[in-house]
Amino acid sequence: GAVVSQHPSRVICKSGTSVKIECRSLDFQATTMFWYRQFPKQSLMLMATSNEGSKATYEQGVEKDKFLINHASLTLSTLTVTSAHPEDSSFYICSAREETDYSTDTQYFGPGTRLTVL
Amino acid sequence: SQELEQSPQSLIVQEGKNLTINCTSSKTLYGLYWYKQKYGEGLIFLMMLQKGGEEKSHEKITAKLDEKKQQSSLHITASQPSHAGIYLCGAGQEGGGADGLTFGKGTHLIIQP
């Protein structure tokens, strides 16, 4: 199946700093990528949809100025957590949509990034 | 908004036994995805169902979508330690996969030797 990578896998930062997380589709092109957040023992919550060449679409309640998304190419999307605070500590997972037929495409997920804000 | 309810929340099964996990949607499903997750890791794609009554199998795992497209089940035959993990069902949006998925809370599967 298609492979999606994330970097870094773990990051610890001080409160107030910014952290960038990369999501790459390794063997396919993805015009659409998605960013999810997962708190301990909870399910994944969609944060935003990253579109190559256009602005990201954010879910209700997600601050676009805090979570900056850039879909620089067909294989790379980045999520930057700006002015991180301890409550931003979470597991961030991206997915990339492999486009085959529009009605049957599949989302493949990266391995996730564990962010800890001290 | 669409909600997915998974049952059971957790399941302990003796190795070699069969098991079933259910996923029920509050709305019609236009694409139902099953993923497996090890704690603290990414999601592994298992199967995707779209049509009412559809059934797919991969190795010892079979997933079904009911005719009304509001419920799906995941069945594992002769469970093995490698099946342990968190199983998540995710629902796509009407019109295809251009939108992100809504997930259930997951079923935590433990396989006892």
Side-chain angles (χ1 to χ4, degrees), chain A residues 32 34 36 38 40-46 49 91 93 97 102-112 114, chain B residues 6 30 33 35 37 39-45 48 50 88 95-106:
Chain A
T32 307
F34 304 92
Y36 296 82
Q38 186 179 35
K41 297 186 179 181
Q42 295 189 23
S43 191
L44 281 77
M45 297 296 292
L46 178 66
T49 302
F91 192 57
I93 309 179
R97 184 167 70 98
Y102 182 72
S103 64
T104 60
D105 49 17
T106 298
Q107 289 188 30
Y108 293 95
F109 283 78
R114 173 76 58 192
Chain B
Q6 285 187 240
Y30 291 97
Y33 298 74
Y35 292 90
Q37 183 183 30
Y39 181 71
E41 299 181 13
L43 277 64
I44 299 170
F45 173 73
M48 193 268 278
Q50 275 196 303
L88 292 160
D99 298 320
L101 302 179
T102 299
F103 284 92
K105 292 185 177 180

Side-chain angles (χ1 to χ4, degrees), chain B:
Chain B
S1 62
Q2 186 169 31
E3 292 185 359
L4 295 179
E5 184 172 331
Q6 285 187 240
S7 62
Q9 290 185 350
S10 63
L11 189 57
I12 301 174
V13 174
Q14 194 170 18
E15 183 177 352
K17 298 294 185 182
N18 304 337
L19 63 104
T20 300
I21 298 169
N22 295 301
C23 177
T24 302
S25 173
S26 59
K27 296 182 179 180
T28 300
L29 291 162
Y30 291 97
L32 189 286
Y33 298 74
W34 283 101
Y35 292 90
K36 178 186 171 185
Q37 183 183 30
K38 296 282 189 182
Y39 181 71
E41 299 181 13
L43 277 64
I44 299 170
F45 173 73
L46 297 176
M47 276 170 277
M48 193 268 278
L49 305 167
Q50 275 196 303
K51 300 176 183 176
E54 186 175 9
E55 178 176 322
K56 288 186 178 178
S57 293
H58 177 66
E59 297 180 343
K60 295 185 178 181
I61 301 176
T62 300
K64 301 178 184 179
L65 182 62
D66 73 340
E67 290 288 346
K68 293 183 178 180
K69 295 174 60 175
Q70 282 197 277
Q71 186 169 37
S72 177
S73 61
L74 186 80
H75 185 77
I76 299 177
T77 303
S79 58
Q80 300 170 350
S82 60
H83 289 129
I86 302 166
Y87 288 81
L88 292 160
C89 63
Q93 304 298 318
E94 182 178 5
D99 298 320
L101 302 179
T102 299
F103 284 92
K105 292 185 177 180
T107 295
H108 191 181
L109 175 62
I110 297 172
I111 306 296
Q112 279 187 335

Side-chain angles (χ1 to χ4, degrees), chain A residues 30-97:
Chain A
T31 56
T32 307
M33 292 185 175
F34 304 92
W35 288 96
Y36 296 82
R37 181 167 52 184
Q38 186 179 35
F39 290 105
K41 297 186 179 181
Q42 295 189 23
S43 191
L44 281 77
M45 297 296 292
L46 178 66
M47 297 176 65
T49 302
S50 174
N51 304 298
E52 192 269 336
S54 64
K55 291 183 179 180
T57 305
Y58 291 83
E59 295 299 301
Q60 194 172 11
V62 178
E63 299 176 58
K64 62 179 182 181
D65 294 330
K66 181 168 186 60
F67 298 98
L68 301 179
I69 291 172
N70 183 22
H71 199 139
S73 72
L74 288 173
T75 59
L76 173 64
S77 175
T78 60
L79 169 69
T80 301
V81 183
T82 62
S83 187
H85 291 283
E87 57 265 29
D88 298 323
S89 298
S90 187
F91 192 57
Y92 292 87
I93 309 179
C94 71
S95 71
R97 184 167 70 98

Side-chain angles (χ1 to χ4, degrees), chain A residues 21-36:
Chain A
I21 303 170
E22 292 186 349
C23 178
R24 293 181 184 272
S25 56
L26 298 185
D27 49 5
F28 66 100
Q29 293 184 331
T31 56
T32 307
M33 292 185 175
F34 304 92
W35 288 96
Y36 296 82

